[in-house]
Amino acid sequence: MAGQTLYDKLWQDHLVKSREDGTALIYIDRHLIHEVTSPQAFEGLRLAGRGLWRKDSLVATPDHNVPSERAERAGGVAGIRDEVSRIQVQTLDENCNDFEVVQFGINEPGQGIVHVIGPETGATLPGMTVVCGDSHTSTHGALGALAHGIGTSEVEHVMATQCLIQKKMKNMLVRVDGELGPGVTAKDVVLAIIGKIGTAGGTGYAIEFGGSAIRNMSMEGRMTICNMAIEAGARAGMVAVDQVTLDYVNGKPYAPKGEQWERAVENWSRLHSDADAVFDAVVELAAEEIEPQVSWGTSPEMVASVNARVPDPAAEADQTRRTGIERALEYMGLSAGQAIGDIRLDRVFIGSCTNSRIEDLRAAAAVAKGRRKADSVKQVLVVPGSQSVKAQAEQEGLHEIFTAAGFEWREPSCSMCLAMNADKLGAGEHCASTSNRNFEGRQGYGGRTHLVSPAMAAAAAVAGHFVDVREFVAAGETA
Amino acid sequence: MKAFTQHQGLVAPMDRANVDTDLIIPKQFLKSIKRTGFGPNLFDELRYLDEGAPGQDCSQRPLNPDFPLNQERYRGASVLLARKNFGCGSSREHAPWALDDYGFRAIIAPSFADIFFNNCFKNGLLPIVLDEDTVAQLFEEMYAQEGYALTIDLEQQQVVKPDGTTIPFEVDSFRKHCLLNGLDDIGLTLEDADAISAYEAKRREQAPWLFDAVK
Ligand code: SF4
């Protein structure tokens, strides 16, 4: 018999029951909730007179529409100016009280973007099944966990039964071997992967990311990669457990301790694909060939290297793809063949569950240090992913580097990633963003998003247009 | 959940690939704490010429005359014909809620994003996968014939065209069963409560740290 993949093992460990029709009940260890996709689920429980199956499996935090601006944020929930947003955050408070769910409240130390606080607190651990009513739940797969984004009906289902009804997905291995060049980051790797396989390339698969370039990456980098598995169409992305994982998890507030830690480590040591495991699909990339990436269109697969040009739809043979490119260029206000480096930015956003961890902020600060944002750039937002990232960054003095560069240092939230709070793009504005989606209107009505790494975003903020961060740093260029 | 057995309805086009959930229902409408009322904001950015805000009276807003759903011939459509990778992006169930609230009962496309596909079934909305050529053919016929309607027969797993020809489609048997009978899958899962408890007890022994409380 062929060996098992990491996904096979995680699936098997959580299999409660296989049904004849090919579906299965999968036990869920950790259920993260936030204010946007949970209210209707709690309401559903109330209407049906149901309770939570295991309330200590839930951890809540408000992130999507809490204000990032310091003065407004200081007022807590009551201080949220937008009434509809306030009601949503209040509703989370009330539901957590009524159902006795642990919540990291709006200004409490543990608060942050749900996918940032899970791993950093140890609320999500290797070997767990993790769900959240949010598609970027795949992030937690970086720990060697099986993490799915789910819809609100499924949120309610997990609340009431602790299980998810699932059909087993197929296995895909994305292997990135070799060494990344200086200035090339996890974000560039994942954008390159999506550019290669397309936004539907991973549909129906659980993707395991492997290869030496992934092995040599920090946990933060692996989270950035798994975060965007969904942008390749895969509900779950994951990385095998290794020493990097263990070193990261050890000592986290809710990670096992003492004798429990020893037992857990032993249990986790099998969380990797067997050497003879068979994957349904294998995709390979050479790390050396990956350059800093910039998205030019309205789908994350529409990416190019920073030194390339915006594609010409006329060169595309496939009709659906050609009209897709034409529409994207029109929306983005770009012309065919335009150099990526000629795209001028109006705003820059450094944050989101993709790139708001300490390492991301360090990378941005390293570029921003001693430089200033270009006058033509209206605003540069730096939004740490959690209260603890914020505290750490301030301890390292990163906030001072940012403010000296004319960047704004904000409070932990999703912020301009999806513009549910006050941080938005105006119509027609171009934004260099470290987030994960460049869909039409995602960052504000008519806004134009370009996905990049934190270092590339900071360099673009200083230059006012996209620049190759490798040359930029080497040349010591200033605005 | 409302049952889906057979449905006949006018077909409307959403003629582009990779329609994402932000396009189906923009984020400002996700602030609602209800499941209903999203219909007027379905495809908001394509449907109206201005920027929509939650709680607004949409009947007063300027319509985009080029958008099919605003055209007389597609009024009352309940079957949406779409291109590949429909529903990609976020997990927001507000997307199927908006489609349902507008009056759609079925969506036909060459492929769907996983989470969206799954969410549809939970809301009595039937996503049907047909191969790309068949979908292209349906687009042509629909554009050529005003009032083009399809009958969708879930029991028989077939789409019936106006001329009586049928196109078979696949559907997972569990989902079909739930949809045909309008079953609440939480109730069904709870029939296995003993199996869940037994698993939990065993797991607690093997990996007790998974059950430690947070905070
Ligand atoms: S940061 Fe963006 S992608 Fe991540 S959870 Fe928040 S809104 Fe979703």
Side-chain angles (χ1 to χ4, degrees), chain A residues 63-64 113-115 134 136 227 352-353 414 417-418 436 442:
Chain A
D63 53 5
H64 282 63
I113 303 173
V114 68
H115 310 308
D134 192 290
H136 294 100
N227 174 275
S352 89
C353 57
C414 293
C417 174
L418 92 167
N436 44 49
R442 170 81 179 181

Side-chain angles (χ1 to χ4, degrees), chain A residues 33-66:
Chain A
I33 59 174
H34 61 78
E35 76 276 24
V36 181
T37 54
S38 66
Q40 295 88 351
F42 281 114
E43 190 58 26
L45 289 182
R46 280 199 189 90
L47 288 173
R50 289 177 175 132
L52 300 174
W53 179 280
R54 182 160 78 79
K55 65 184 178 203
D56 63 10
S57 68
L58 286 111
V59 174
T61 200
D63 53 5
H64 282 63
N65 52 44
V66 298

Side-chain angles (χ1 to χ4, degrees), chain A residues 314-381:
Chain A
E316 176 61 57
D318 180 87
Q319 165 78 38
T320 315
R321 286 180 66 95
R322 184 165 62 243
T323 44
I325 296 173
E326 281 165 358
R327 188 181 285 123
L329 293 187
E330 193 191 327
Y331 180 84
M332 294 298 288
L334 299 175
S335 37
Q338 181 178 351
I340 297 281
D342 287 344
I343 300 173
R344 306 201 68 84
L345 284 322
D346 300 288
R347 292 179 203 268
V348 174
F349 171 61
I350 299 171
S352 89
C353 57
T354 314
N355 281 129
S356 63
R357 297 179 183 81
I358 190 67
E359 189 179 275
D360 301 315
L361 301 187
R362 286 180 190 141
V367 175
K369 191 168 186 175
R371 298 188 168 103
R372 265 200 78 74
K373 80 166 182 67
D375 290 340
S376 56
V377 174
K378 292 176 210 160
Q379 183 182 46
V380 183
L381 288 181

Side-chain angles (χ1 to χ4, degrees), chain A residues 13-17 19 21 25 27 30 36 39-40 50 53-54 56 82 84-85 88 91 102-104 108 127-128 133-135 149-154 156-157 160-161 163 165 167 199-200 203-204 235 254 256 260 263-264 267-268 320 327 418 420 437 439-442 444-445, chain B residues 15-18 20 22-23 27 30-35 45-46 48-51 54 85 88-94 97 112 114-115 118-119 122-123 172-174 184-190 192-193 195-197 199-200 203-215:
Chain A
D13 284 352
H14 293 88
L15 185 62
V16 172
K17 185 178 174 175
R19 294 167 161 172
D21 56 26
L25 288 182
Y27 188 84
R30 178 66 70 221
V36 181
Q40 295 88 351
R50 289 177 175 132
W53 179 280
R54 182 160 78 79
D56 63 10
D82 179 314
V84 207
S85 292
Q88 208 168 46
T91 305
V102 163
Q103 187 196 182
F104 293 101
E108 286 182 352
M128 272 185 171
D134 192 290
S135 58
I150 57 177
T152 297
S153 294
E154 289 175 310
E156 186 181 335
H157 188 276
T161 70
C163 290
I165 302 171
K167 239 189 171 156
T199 48
T203 303
R235 249 179 131 166
Y254 309 115
Q260 288 286 311
R263 271 184 75 182
N267 183 296
W268 297 339
T320 315
R327 188 181 285 123
L418 92 167
M420 272 185 84
R437 288 195 173 134
F439 298 154
E440 291 182 21
R442 170 81 179 181
Y445 185 75
Chain B
D15 199 351
R16 54 155 110 182
N18 300 316
D20 58 73
D22 281 75
L23 210 57
K27 70 266 158 192
L30 312 188
K31 295 182 184 184
S32 166
I33 55 171
K34 304 204 198 76
R35 272 176 203 258
E45 292 180 4
L46 300 175
Y48 303 97
L49 294 170
D50 63 347
E51 180 181 0
N85 201 26
C88 60
S90 91
S91 65
R92 63 186 69 160
E93 203 154 315
H94 311 69
W97 293 338
F112 293 89
D114 279 344
I115 305 181
N118 210 34
N119 284 341
K122 314 277 180 190
N123 293 282
D172 172 285
S173 62
F174 176 72
D184 157 21
D185 56 9
I186 295 180
L188 285 177
T189 301
L190 287 174
D192 285 317
I196 304 171
S197 298
Y199 169 88
E200 208 165 40
R203 192 75 177 149
R204 225 180 251 279
E205 297 236 313
Q206 289 171 346
W209 60 88
L210 293 174
F211 296 83
D212 288 347
V214 163
K215 206 178 176 185

